[in-house]
Amino acid sequence: MSNVQAIINEISAEVQGQRNSEYPISPIFLNRWSTRAFSNREVSDQDLYTVLDAAHWAPSAFNDQPWRFIVAKTEEQRSVFHQFINEFNLAWASSAPVLIVVASDKLRENGDPNGAHTFDAGAAWASMAIQATMLGLSTHAMGGFDRIKARQLLNIPDNFELHAVIALGYQGDKSLLPEAIQQREVPNARRPLNELVFEGKIE
Ligand SMILES: Cc1cc2nc3c(=O)[nH]c(=O)nc-3n(C[C@H](O)[C@H](O)[C@H](O)COP(=O)(O)O)c2cc1C
């Protein structure tokens, strides 16, 4: 079985025993988890743009596609992003070869507020993360960054909301992470489905 086939069809060794789904979902949903251990292996433009392509096929209200992706993939670009990522996140995210700010337009083309832009940007990020997993890549979203600084440094107009910085790259050696972060380097679990799903109405 090819690597890609295995990622899609089999629960990976590190996820086995950590994550159990209640129903027979595709292993890809369990195999995606947010590592903090990134190797310095470069991501090809082909793979980077495959991930971004998947993201932009997400559904959106009125097909407005409000998401925007600002990418750092060179040393120079990453050093700008490193200026607005917070200290805790930078401790691990500085190794990631690609960083992506996910933003979305708060306004529709006719100037009306777009009440769905955050929902839509979330769908794009989820698609990005799943496509990355399928390519053997890891993603880790960060809300911990200075949005004012990011807006200034990246030239992002006021009508865009900044949601997250995504670290993208190949999983690396967790023993190189600071001790406290190493302990958190395992796939986490989820609340039982019956705490989150309501048939008919919330009781
Ligand atoms: C919008 C968003 C913001 C997040 N912010 C951070 C962050 O600042 N730092 C961090 O280490 N992880 C961050 N995370 C990662 C979450 O903690 C992680 O996705 C969650 O614990 C579920 O784990 P999993 O992604 O491995 O399944 C963020 C995730 C999302 C979706």
Side-chain angles (χ1 to χ4, degrees), residues 19 32-34 36 88-89 92 140-144 188 190:
R19 294 185 151 183
R32 183 219 55 81
W33 68 281
S34 301
R36 291 188 177 89
F88 167 77
N89 286 327
W92 54 268
H140 196 135
M142 288 166 263
N188 54 19
R190 291 295 184 269

Side-chain angles (χ1 to χ4, degrees), residues 7-197:
I7 288 165
I8 296 168
N9 294 321
E10 292 173 8
I11 296 172
S12 69
E14 64 190 350
V15 167
Q16 288 273 1
Q18 301 288 338
R19 294 185 151 183
N20 300 302
S21 65
E22 296 173 48
Y23 288 86
I25 64 173
S26 164
I28 197 77
F29 294 103
L30 304 174
N31 290 340
R32 183 219 55 81
W33 68 281
S34 301
T35 186
R36 291 188 177 89
F38 284 95
S39 87
N40 57 9
R41 182 177 160 195
E42 291 245 334
V43 177
S44 68
D45 269 359
Q46 172 71 20
D47 282 354
L48 169 60
Y49 278 87
T50 301
V51 162
L52 296 168
D53 193 1
H56 101 301
W57 281 101
S60 62
F62 301 103
N63 197 21
D64 259 351
Q65 306 160 62
W67 43 69
R68 298 293 183 274
F69 312 113
I70 302 120
V71 177
K73 61 171 194 170
T74 66
E75 193 73 59
E76 195 184 345
Q77 292 163 346
R78 283 190 298 262
S79 71
V80 174
F81 278 48
H82 292 171
Q83 293 173 49
F84 56 76
I85 293 173
N86 78 16
E87 210 180 323
F88 167 77
N89 286 327
L90 202 55
W92 54 268
S94 57
S95 308
V98 179
L99 296 163
I100 304 168
V101 165
V102 177
S104 62
D105 197 340
K106 296 187 274 190
L107 302 177
R108 304 202 55 215
E109 239 168 83
N110 63 6
D112 286 348
N114 179 352
H117 75 97
T118 54
F119 192 75
D120 296 345
W125 139 244
S127 300
M128 179 191 295
I130 294 295
Q131 181 64 66
T133 308
M134 287 170 132
L135 293 170
L137 287 158
S138 294
T139 52
H140 196 135
M142 288 166 263
F145 68 102
D146 184 331
R147 285 161 176 75
I148 296 170
K149 223 171 179 180
R151 191 184 290 285
Q152 275 169 359
L153 289 169
L154 306 184
N155 226 0
I156 302 175
D158 285 347
N159 53 308
F160 287 90
E161 185 169 331
L162 280 62
H163 301 292
V165 184
I166 312 299
L168 172 75
Y170 292 93
Q171 196 175 357
D173 181 355
K174 80 171 186 180
S175 69
L176 300 176
L177 287 169
E179 188 97 10
I181 296 179
Q182 272 182 49
Q183 286 161 14
R184 300 168 66 168
E185 243 336 76
V186 275
N188 54 19
R190 291 295 184 269
R191 293 156 66 174
L193 207 49
N194 67 10
E195 283 185 16
L196 315 167
V197 179

